[in-house]
Amino acid sequence: METTPDLPVEVISYILSYLSVSDRKEASMVNRAWYFASQDCRLQKDIVYSLPTLSTSLETIRVLGTKQTPNLILSNLDGSSLSKEVIKHIVHYLGPHLEHISLCSSSITESAFLSLISYCHSLQKLDLSGCNSLFMSGTLLEKPKDTFRTRKALLNLQELNLSNLRYLSDRTFNRLTGCSPMLKELSLAGCLVTFEFDPYHGSVISDSSAVLSLRNLIKFLKERAVSLKALDLSRTGITSEALKSVAQVNGLCLEKLVLQNCKEISDDAIGILCKSQPGLINLDLSGCSELTGKSVVAISANLQELRHLKLGRLRRLTDDVLAGLAELKELQSLDVSDCHQICGSELVKCFSFSESKMVHLSFSGCSLLKDSTVFSLAKLFGTSLRLLDLTSCLSITDISIRAIIFYLNNLTVLRLGWCKEITDWGLLGMQDPNEEHCPETKDDLGPKFSRNFGNMGFFTPPTYFDDRPVMITKLEDLLINGEKHGPTLRALRHLQELDLTACRKLTDISLQQVIQLPNLKKLSLGMVNEITDRTLVSVATHCRSLEHLSVNHCCFLTDEGMIQTLQTVGRLVSLDISCCDGISDRTLAAIAENCKWLKNLDVSMCNGITVARVELLQSQIPWATNIKTRFVGGADLSISL
């Protein structure tokens, strides 16, 4: 590499700041000037490096030390001599610069943890989720000298993740949080918390050495009421009375609360929560199965600052309660995935009379969603929408696809997996010549009841079946202003993720022409059975930024197509080629040669791949720590099972 005096480092750094992480890596190889500019610590802030506990990681740590890397994920740490050597290298080369450390699910020992953490004085984020070995003895930070060293390191810590810890107790919790006076975000998701206010759980003494109690958590919240802004109590089994106690802590002003899969929470508790915490910006109630539309009404009436709302898997929600969301003027993200009684008509009504700021919208699993609703929402949200998830919306057709392409030009994520009625015509922006005209609205919007449903008189059909979306335009506008030819999927130039899993009516005819997206990083074509090597090679040619590729169950793919693809797309981090019978060991050889950054690989049920070649690949790419090899080489499933 030679230095070019044409551009000063400041200018190069400015240019690099607009590139993606993977693009910066390639740009750094141009010459020395570009390399040193890429080491600018300002450009390293959003890069997270994941290191396995391997001898090859030692040299990587030394290199990262020259970059002053601030973010690190460490996996497989334990009490071995190799783990100790890795920790020594991290302390020596990276310690003073680290701002974020994740030890997720490691078997790290107390002594190893203290030797690592004591020298990281710039830490702002610490992830100890699943580190059960660290808390099993209950003696963590028991010695005053250990507490002093840890407090010095965690003085500026703002985010602490303690999720999925079986042995977290009041005492270890108090010692660790006591070393983090500036804490703003805390996660206890999946932890065993005893709720002594609930008669079913009995009474627990505070400051327990065996369990984490609600009494102790309330005490912590009172002490940190001013500074704590985010709390995650997902999967803790928190009761309604316990949630009310948390919400009503004097002075507590939460901005983010996550309560995923807390199945004992009632509408009454959510009502108290909304009145006590009106400043909430982010609320996640996914999987809280006891909640009904009353909770949505309380949210709409009290949380005027709310921007992100997740209501996934609330099976009791009906479409009519969504009308109140019009009161949430700041709402940017809405998730109603797997709410099977939602058809979206009320969303069209409520947002048609107000200016929407919607950025993320998920209807995944909402099988009642129809083309007319998707069309109306696409026109309403227009260029503001960045993410649209329509996975398993079984009724949508090419009409929805044409509307999405025409109106949602700034989408970065589009998920259409299992939308089985989508065809090549939709992606190509064309009307199927076999269809003379668009189906009638009245027939398209409502379900046709079977003989064993409400029309037989056993019970009255749910009222939401009678609702009809407010049509923003005339029916013929579903064909995009009457044109038979419109823009293709290629018009979504900003797409970074595209999911077409199990869209089985798609073929090479459209996919070769439309998946020419320069910013695409994640592509899922699994179970699109008709695609061949032609699509695969075309994708590789036009999508050079691709990092995640899934083509499982594509039986027409061969080694030739995979090899050409791997030679072109060298940034792959994740590859799924499971159940592809045309793939053999030749593809694994190409992976070893071209995919140096690969971490996740699935070759399950590939008859042409041998276990010996997989083992060789693991030795050639040590970073590939997640390789799935179920029944490779034509193993007999009946015997294996």
Side-chain angles (χ1 to χ4, degrees):
M1 294 189 295
E2 295 183 0
T3 306
T4 54
D6 301 333
L7 294 175
V9 174
E10 293 79 6
V11 175
I12 299 175
S13 296
Y14 179 77
I15 296 172
L16 288 171
S17 66
Y18 285 92
L19 300 180
S20 65
V21 173
S22 52
D23 287 333
R24 289 179 206 164
K25 291 178 180 177
E26 289 201 2
S28 67
M29 302 305 295
V30 173
N31 53 43
R32 284 194 175 90
W34 285 79
Y35 173 78
F36 288 115
S38 70
Q39 312 311 307
D40 189 329
C41 60
R42 292 172 298 175
L43 302 179
Q44 298 289 326
K45 290 291 184 182
D46 57 347
I47 302 177
V48 180
Y49 291 89
S50 180
L51 295 178
T53 306
L54 300 170
S55 56
T56 53
S57 298
L58 300 179
E59 177 60 29
T60 304
I61 293 171
R62 284 193 286 268
V63 174
L64 294 178
T66 63
K67 300 181 179 182
Q68 300 184 2
T69 300
N71 306 313
L72 201 60
I73 298 176
L74 301 172
S75 57
N76 306 322
L77 281 178
D78 50 29
S80 65
S81 57
L82 179 58
S83 291
K84 294 177 182 178
E85 192 65 25
V86 168
I87 290 175
K88 285 181 181 179
H89 275 66
I90 291 173
V91 167
H92 180 73
Y93 293 102
L94 296 173
H97 315 299
L98 285 177
E99 298 177 4
H100 173 203
I101 293 181
S102 174
L103 303 175
C104 180
S105 300
S106 290
S107 299
I108 190 171
T109 62
E110 293 180 28
S111 59
F113 172 74
L114 291 172
S115 63
L116 170 63
I117 216 72
S118 300
Y119 295 93
C120 302
H121 294 167
S122 301
L123 272 186
Q124 296 182 19
K125 301 179 183 179
L126 178 61
D127 184 353
L128 299 178
S129 59
C131 295
N132 287 297
S133 60
L134 190 59
F135 295 86
M136 186 179 297
S137 67
T139 60
L140 181 65
L141 302 179
E142 192 173 47
K143 299 177 181 178
K145 65 175 183 179
D146 293 339
T147 303
F148 176 78
R149 292 164 57 194
T150 304
R151 182 180 178 85
K152 188 176 180 181
L154 303 184
L155 191 61
N156 296 312
L157 192 72
Q158 297 183 12
E159 299 180 25
L160 179 60
N161 189 344
L162 299 176
S163 59
N164 301 316
L165 294 176
R166 294 193 299 269
Y167 306 107
L168 186 63
S169 66
D170 287 343
R171 292 183 182 178
T172 51
F173 176 81
N174 292 341
R175 292 175 198 145
L176 193 55
T177 55
C179 296
S180 315
M182 305 297 291
L183 206 59
K184 293 183 178 180
E185 299 187 22
L186 174 65
S187 175
L188 295 172
C191 290
L192 180 61
V193 184
T194 58
F195 301 103
E196 64 267 46
F197 294 160
D198 189 327
Y200 293 103
H201 291 86
S203 179
V204 178
I205 301 174
S206 184
D207 197 28
S208 169
S209 61
V211 296
L212 178 62
S213 66
L214 176 64
R215 190 189 305 275
N216 192 75
L217 180 58
I218 295 294
K219 177 184 175 183
F220 167 78
L221 293 176
K222 289 179 179 178
E223 295 172 352
R224 306 294 180 88
V226 176
S227 59
L228 194 70
K229 298 300 178 184
L231 182 62
D232 187 347
L233 295 174
S234 300
R235 297 177 282 108
T236 58
I238 186 171
T239 62
S240 293
E241 293 303 316
L243 180 59
K244 292 177 185 178
S245 301
V246 169
Q248 294 175 317
V249 168
N250 188 35
L252 183 65
C253 297
L254 292 176
E255 296 178 358
K256 179 180 179 180
L257 180 61
V258 184
L259 297 169
Q260 285 187 19
N261 294 307
C262 293
K263 301 182 184 297
E264 297 185 39
I265 295 175
S266 66
D267 290 324
D268 182 49
I270 296 300
I272 298 295
L273 169 68
C274 294
K275 292 178 181 178
S276 303
Q277 300 294 327
L280 278 172
I281 295 175
N282 190 327
L283 179 61
D284 188 347
L285 300 175
S286 302
C288 298
S289 54
E290 293 299 312
L291 300 183
T292 69
K294 294 180 180 179
S295 293
V296 179
V297 172
I299 291 169
S300 302
N302 297 283
L303 304 183
Q304 300 302 307
E305 302 299 320
L306 197 66
R307 298 178 187 174
H308 309 283
L309 177 61
K310 291 187 178 182
L311 302 171
R313 304 188 304 283
L314 301 190
R315 306 289 173 90
R316 300 186 182 188
L317 285 191
T318 56
D319 213 55
D320 57 317
V321 299
L322 299 184
L325 296 181
E327 302 298 323
L328 305 179
K329 306 299 183 183
E330 302 299 321
L331 192 64
Q332 299 177 12
S333 174
L334 176 63
D335 182 353
V336 290
S337 58
D338 295 312
C339 296
H340 300 312
Q341 301 187 51
I342 298 294
C343 67
S345 61
E346 291 299 328
L347 279 181
V348 176
K349 291 178 183 178
C350 75
F351 287 115
S352 60
F353 302 108
S354 61
E355 184 178 352
S356 173
K357 299 180 180 179
M358 194 66 68
V359 177
H360 293 178
L361 184 61
S362 175
F363 280 104
S364 175
C366 295
S367 55
L368 294 180
L369 195 71
K370 302 294 182 181
D371 283 328
S372 53
T373 302
V374 175
F375 176 82
S376 299
L377 290 173
K379 188 169 184 180
L380 278 173
F381 297 142
T383 56
S384 69
L385 204 64
R386 297 293 187 272
L387 181 151
L388 179 61
D389 190 347
L390 300 178
T391 303
S392 297
C393 293
L394 304 178
S395 299
I396 70 169
T397 68
D398 292 340
I399 295 172
S400 292
I401 306 308
R402 297 186 67 190
I404 290 169
I405 295 171
F406 190 83
Y407 289 113
L408 305 180
N409 304 122
N410 289 328
L411 276 183
T412 58
V413 177
L414 178 59
R415 297 173 185 150
L416 300 169
W418 297 91
C419 295
K420 298 182 179 182
E421 298 304 313
I422 297 173
T423 71
D424 290 328
W425 299 109
L427 298 191
L428 292 170
M430 302 169 65
Q431 183 183 3
D432 188 342
N434 296 321
E435 296 179 3
E436 295 182 1
H437 51 77
C438 183
E440 294 294 331
T441 307
K442 62 182 180 181
D443 294 331
D444 185 53
L445 294 180
K448 297 178 177 61
F449 296 116
S450 61
R451 292 183 60 187
N452 61 351
F453 201 54
N455 57 335
M456 289 298 293
F458 295 114
F459 56 87
T460 304
T463 56
Y464 59 85
F465 280 155
D466 296 325
D467 292 337
R468 295 292 184 266
V470 174
M471 296 302 294
I472 306 303
T473 59
K474 298 179 181 178
L475 180 60
E476 53 266 26
D477 287 340
L478 288 172
L479 295 177
I480 311 301
N481 300 324
E483 296 291 336
K484 292 187 177 182
H485 301 278
T488 71
L489 189 72
R490 251 188 318 187
L492 304 181
R493 303 290 292 176
H494 302 289
L495 269 188
Q496 296 181 20
E497 178 183 339
L498 176 62
D499 186 354
L500 297 172
T501 301
C503 296
R504 296 182 177 179
K505 293 185 178 181
L506 298 180
T507 68
D508 289 341
I509 294 173
S510 65
L511 297 177
Q512 283 186 96
Q513 299 185 51
V514 301
I515 305 184
Q516 300 181 10
L517 307 165
N519 296 311
L520 195 67
K521 295 182 178 180
K522 185 174 183 179
L523 176 63
S524 299
L525 294 174
M527 290 181 280
V528 184
N529 307 100
E530 298 300 319
I531 66 170
T532 68
D533 291 341
R534 290 194 293 272
T535 290
L536 205 56
V537 173
S538 175
V539 167
T541 302
H542 297 97
C543 307
R544 300 295 183 95
S545 297
L546 206 61
E547 297 178 1
H548 304 268
L549 177 62
S550 176
V551 288
N552 58 291
H553 292 84
C554 295
C555 56
F556 294 120
L557 299 183
T558 68
D559 285 326
E560 285 68 25
M562 284 302 305
I563 291 171
Q564 290 185 56
T565 299
L566 296 170
Q567 290 173 342
T568 307
V569 183
R571 302 178 181 178
L572 283 181
V573 175
S574 176
L575 177 62
D576 184 355
I577 53 176
S578 58
C579 300
C580 293
D581 290 336
I583 303 299
S584 72
D585 286 346
R586 292 176 56 203
T587 292
L588 293 191
I591 291 174
E593 183 178 352
N594 298 284
C595 302
K596 301 301 182 183
W597 299 101
L598 195 70
K599 295 180 182 177
N600 305 301
L601 175 65
D602 192 344
V603 294
S604 302
M605 302 187 192
C606 290
N607 293 333
I609 289 178
T610 63
V611 175
R613 194 62 188 81
V614 173
E615 293 175 348
L616 177 60
L617 177 67
Q618 288 177 312
S619 65
Q620 293 172 320
I621 309 180
W623 304 105
T625 55
N626 183 22
I627 299 182
K628 297 179 181 179
T629 59
R630 292 166 296 179
F631 314 120
V632 296
D636 189 341
L637 288 180
S638 61
I639 295 176
S640 300
L641 293 174

